[in-house]
Amino acid sequence: MSNEAWLERSRAAVWHPCTQMKRHETLPLIPVARAEGVWLEDFEGRRYLDAVSSWWVNLFGHNHPRMKAALKAQLDELEHVILAGFTHRPVVELSERLGALTGLGHAFYGSDGASAVEIALKMSFHFWQNRGEPGKTRFVSLENSYHGETVGALGVTDVPLFSRTYAPLLQPGLRAPSPDARLAEAGETAADVATRAAQGLEALLEAHASEIAALIVEPLVQGAAGMAMYDPSYLATARRLCDRYRVHLIADEIAVGFGRTGSLFAYQQADILPDFVCLSKGLTGGYLPLSCVLTSDMVYQAFYDDDVTRGFLHSHSYTGNALACRAALEVLDIFASEDVLSANQARAACFSRLLEPVARHPSVRHFRHCGMIWAFDVETDRPDFAQAFFQAMLEEGVLLRPIGRTVYFMPPYILAPEEMQHLAAATLRTLDRLGQTTATVDSGPALP
Ligand SMILES: *Cc1c(COP(=O)(O)O)cnc(C)c1O
């Protein structure tokens, strides 16, 4: 069957995420027939370099031999079993290993990032209930934060495009200033911006700590805000403030975990330990939906009791799915046996060098880089910039999804030098091309 046939059937039967479906009257969907390494291939043999790791989930490329072998082996043993009252090898081994890697020895599982955020918020709230502080019911998040789109997670997400419509349903959180390094005024460093933002956080905690259960942050990079990067000192200060004002610190590592920022987990660059760590996306290398909330003995003990209702009675049907846990174990094995973090340093240095002409392009502002994420803002008056850039890059054989006027690369950790070259050259050509054309249509707000 041709591309055309698949996209028509998909348009008729599949309600696609994060999409105004009417747009697909003119903007074609791309049916993917197969994928290999960093390449997606459609039904007519056209290939696209997956420069966003399939929405930030894929770590080691598509059709990975080790990931496939691990999953096939697990299929022969156990695909899934109820986790209430039962347990199994992959979930035990994964929990032990994540505990050893983070120092947070209690792992609770969900299926998506948003469900991990819900779990962390509920656990934090319930912790304070169990501790006899029922007034601590609110959450603080950063300006421009993104923590997922279920009703609880949307309450701590500061993206009006996603939350405004549902405002009457949401428990609105408090917002602390973003430490986004782009907010630096003349003569200020990224660390100065972090200090300034932390002062705003302190004022908020000072005024409201008795009502606040937790602060939730995306460590080092606010992804959906447009890859807003910030100085690690913010996290160190936030940890001290959370301790001083008796507020939990939740690290939402759903996008930045698993080596994205250069360390296995981003919060590690600030030498801190959060009270909760939320993991998903790269957790299974992009193979299966799984999420996990890690927490401390201190939190765990507040629930450990003869009274059933002091326990955490939350559940999801697929919690701790054996296949997904097996995929996550293989991801950890690959990190260890292939020394992925060191290899990424060399890979990142090479790609950064190749991107120098992009960084110097006259329409590029705030070129920034952290680990395996690169981003820059484009000076343009085209209201349809994100969609125009997306389409122009597709013609170059590259999948990129600009967020507003921010273009970013978040490639799998296997990008080869010739693929980097292709990506850098295609980006430069597209910047030149779009710089010369003028705006015609307003395609509406840009989506991540
Ligand atoms: C993607 C993301 C989420 C939500 O994860 P889903 O699996 O899409 O529900 C939450 N927080 C951050 C930081 C994310 O990037």
Side-chain angles (χ1 to χ4, degrees):
M1 238 171 64
S2 68
N3 279 347
E4 194 70 29
W6 282 116
L7 71 87
E8 279 315 315
R9 284 171 63 180
S10 195
R11 270 199 335 129
V14 182
W15 197 336
H16 290 266
C18 201
T19 300
Q20 169 47 267
M21 288 300 293
K22 189 159 194 289
R23 269 194 178 183
H24 283 306
E25 285 180 6
T26 50
L27 180 70
L29 278 160
I30 310 223
V32 174
R34 60 189 67 79
E36 176 78 41
V38 297
W39 295 97
L40 308 176
E41 192 180 315
D42 71 13
F43 287 82
E44 288 156 15
R46 220 184 128 65
R47 302 205 311 158
Y48 302 93
L49 197 161
D50 184 358
V52 298
S53 296
S54 287
W55 244 356
W56 320 353
V57 300
N58 190 290
L59 295 187
F60 307 122
H62 299 272
N63 201 17
H64 192 280
R66 286 185 60 175
M67 295 298 300
K68 281 203 304 194
L71 285 171
K72 285 178 178 169
Q74 185 60 43
L75 264 178
D76 285 334
E77 279 174 29
L78 173 69
E79 76 296 338
H80 180 74
V81 67
I82 177 174
L83 198 66
F86 290 78
T87 195
H88 56 80
R89 180 174 162 172
V91 80
V92 172
E93 289 182 352
L94 180 61
S95 306
E96 287 173 352
R97 287 179 68 177
L98 291 173
L101 287 166
T102 57
L104 297 171
H106 302 277
F108 195 99
Y109 292 89
S111 316
D112 313 277
S115 65
V117 169
E118 301 283 344
I119 289 162
L121 298 177
K122 282 179 69 180
M123 264 186 190
S124 171
F125 164 83
H126 196 165
F127 170 93
W128 296 113
Q129 298 284 310
N130 282 352
R131 281 292 187 89
E133 299 195 48
K136 285 166 95 63
T137 60
R138 304 185 74 186
F139 300 101
V140 182
S141 60
L142 302 185
E143 283 166 358
N144 305 319
S145 56
Y146 180 89
H147 297 291
E149 302 186 46
T150 51
V151 169
L154 258 189
V156 289
T157 287
D158 186 32
V159 182
L161 179 62
F162 300 148
S163 58
R164 204 187 302 121
T165 311
Y166 309 102
L169 305 182
L170 306 181
Q171 186 74 35
L174 297 159
R175 299 280 182 264
S178 167
D180 181 352
R182 289 174 298 178
L183 301 172
E185 284 159 19
E188 268 192 330
T189 63
D192 294 333
V193 181
T195 304
R196 193 149 45 78
Q199 285 162 357
L201 173 63
E202 176 154 28
L204 199 68
L205 294 180
E206 198 168 11
H208 299 284
S210 64
E211 310 154 43
I212 297 172
L215 163 70
I216 182 166
V217 296
E218 296 161 85
L220 299 188
V221 183
Q222 293 186 281
M227 303 300 156
M229 298 181 185
Y230 64 86
D231 194 81
S233 64
Y234 181 80
L235 295 172
T237 312
R239 176 70 277 184
R240 275 198 302 278
L241 291 173
C242 284
D243 286 340
R244 186 180 314 151
Y245 290 95
R246 302 182 57 256
V247 162
H248 288 139
L249 178 61
I250 303 173
D252 177 350
E253 293 260 345
I254 290 164
V256 293
F258 297 96
R260 250 322 142 188
T261 67
S263 44
L264 189 60
F265 301 112
Y267 73 80
Q268 293 169 332
Q269 293 185 40
D271 235 340
I272 58 160
L273 188 60
D275 299 292
F276 300 90
V277 172
C278 301
L279 302 173
S280 190
K281 291 198 167 124
L283 175 59
T284 61
Y287 269 71
L288 286 163
L290 180 70
S291 66
C292 179
V293 176
L294 298 167
T295 192
S296 63
D297 282 336
M298 196 259 297
V299 170
Y300 183 75
Q301 288 304 334
F303 291 78
Y304 201 81
D305 200 271
D306 291 324
D307 178 354
V308 173
T309 64
R310 286 173 66 94
F312 192 61
L313 304 184
H314 186 100
S315 65
H316 295 286
S317 313
Y318 280 97
T319 187
N321 176 263
L323 281 166
C325 288
R326 186 67 192 83
L329 282 165
E330 192 62 24
V331 164
L332 294 178
D333 282 345
I334 293 172
F335 265 102
S337 68
E338 299 181 10
D339 199 3
V340 171
L341 295 178
S342 312
N344 275 356
Q345 274 180 11
R347 203 167 271 125
C350 175
F351 193 37
S352 290
R353 244 185 339 269
L354 290 167
L355 286 173
E356 278 167 16
V358 170
R360 282 198 305 269
H361 192 275
S363 64
V364 167
R365 304 282 178 272
H366 296 297
F367 185 91
R368 51 200 184 273
H369 161 232
C370 180
M372 289 298 285
I373 308 174
W374 291 260
F376 56 87
D377 305 336
V378 177
E379 179 105 328
T380 171
D381 50 17
R382 290 185 71 129
D384 66 335
F385 172 78
Q387 188 173 321
F389 201 93
F390 168 75
Q391 280 180 283
M393 288 302 280
L394 282 182
E395 284 161 32
E396 294 274 4
V398 175
L399 161 56
L400 276 184
R401 280 177 65 100
I403 301 173
R405 285 167 190 164
T406 297
V407 175
Y408 72 90
F409 308 104
M410 207 150 153
Y413 306 162
I414 53 159
L415 199 64
E418 60 278 11
E419 292 160 345
M420 296 178 191
Q421 192 99 51
H422 173 69
L423 194 48
T427 303
L428 202 56
R429 273 194 300 274
T430 303
L431 281 170
D432 281 342
R433 221 171 101 193
L434 289 191
Q436 285 155 8
T437 50
T438 42
T440 46
V441 273
D442 185 346
S443 58
L447 305 164

